[in-house]
Amino acid sequence: MPETPSRLEGEPLAELAACLDGLVNVVDKGTAAEVGPYDLIPLEFNLLRVCLERGECTATQLAEVLPVDASRISRVVNRLVEMDLLRRRRLRDDRRVVMLSLTDEGTELTEQVHERVQVYEARLMEGVTDEAMRVFLDTAFKIISNYDAMQEPPEE
């Protein structure tokens, strides 16, 4: 395990931030390496994976799940439609609503890439016990909950 830089010692939140930055970096870089041979970036793969799990969904629903804004989702959707991995369908009763779903090619590719990403993720998780992961997640969600509570207006 890398040593903690001395400037962060004794500052748990700064150490946590540095740790999370490193964690996000290894997950992103590894995922990029796994999806890159398929001419995808991690965001595109994650969008395809959500569509695989949900069946049909809207761009708005994707923007709620993926950590990007609606305009970025729109650009990614356009590219995946051009690649014939995703299709659009307008609802008959409300033509403003556009449903997105995987094409057959998109489903096949997403399942294939998902298997590769799962192998990478399993290698990352080697030696991490379920209990250790549970403690890590409980801690992270508690910090997020504390932040959310701080955003609420004070009761009068």
Side-chain angles (χ1 to χ4, degrees):
M1 179 166 199
E3 290 185 33
T4 304
S6 61
R7 71 181 192 283
L8 300 179
E9 286 180 11
E11 299 178 38
L13 208 50
E15 290 181 36
L16 176 63
C19 176
L20 292 176
D21 286 345
L23 183 60
V24 167
N25 192 33
V26 299
V27 171
D28 282 349
K29 281 185 177 180
T31 302
E34 296 301 323
V35 304
Y38 299 92
D39 194 27
L40 296 172
I41 62 171
L43 176 59
E44 292 166 339
F45 168 68
N46 288 330
L47 187 147
L48 293 171
R49 185 166 47 182
V50 170
C51 288
L52 181 65
E53 292 168 359
R54 293 187 175 202
E56 276 194 324
C57 53
T58 66
T60 301
Q61 291 168 329
L62 290 170
E64 291 170 357
V65 175
L66 300 170
V68 293
D69 59 59
S71 64
R72 178 74 198 264
I73 293 288
S74 181
R75 290 190 303 272
V76 170
V77 165
N78 288 339
R79 182 169 188 278
L80 295 172
V81 167
E82 289 171 12
M83 293 173 71
D84 198 32
L85 300 175
L86 204 58
R87 76 170 60 90
R88 292 182 180 104
R89 179 181 69 82
R90 291 196 181 275
L91 293 181
R92 287 185 182 174
D93 54 334
D94 187 347
R95 304 280 302 155
R96 296 171 295 172
V97 178
V98 178
M99 301 303 296
L100 304 168
S101 62
L102 295 176
T103 62
D104 290 341
E105 183 180 341
T107 299
E108 185 178 321
L109 181 75
T110 303
E111 289 173 346
Q112 184 179 358
V113 176
H114 186 63
E115 287 178 22
R116 284 183 62 133
V117 170
Q118 283 182 311
V119 169
Y120 174 73
E121 290 172 349
R123 290 186 64 205
L124 281 181
M125 296 300 293
E126 285 178 8
V128 178
T129 65
D130 288 345
E131 178 61 21
M133 181 55 78
R134 199 170 14 264
V135 168
F136 175 78
L137 292 174
D138 286 348
T139 302
F141 285 127
K142 179 59 181 167
I143 292 169
I144 292 166
S145 175
N146 289 345
Y147 173 81
D148 289 344
M150 291 168 35
Q151 303 311 303
E152 296 173 7
E155 292 183 24
E156 292 181 27

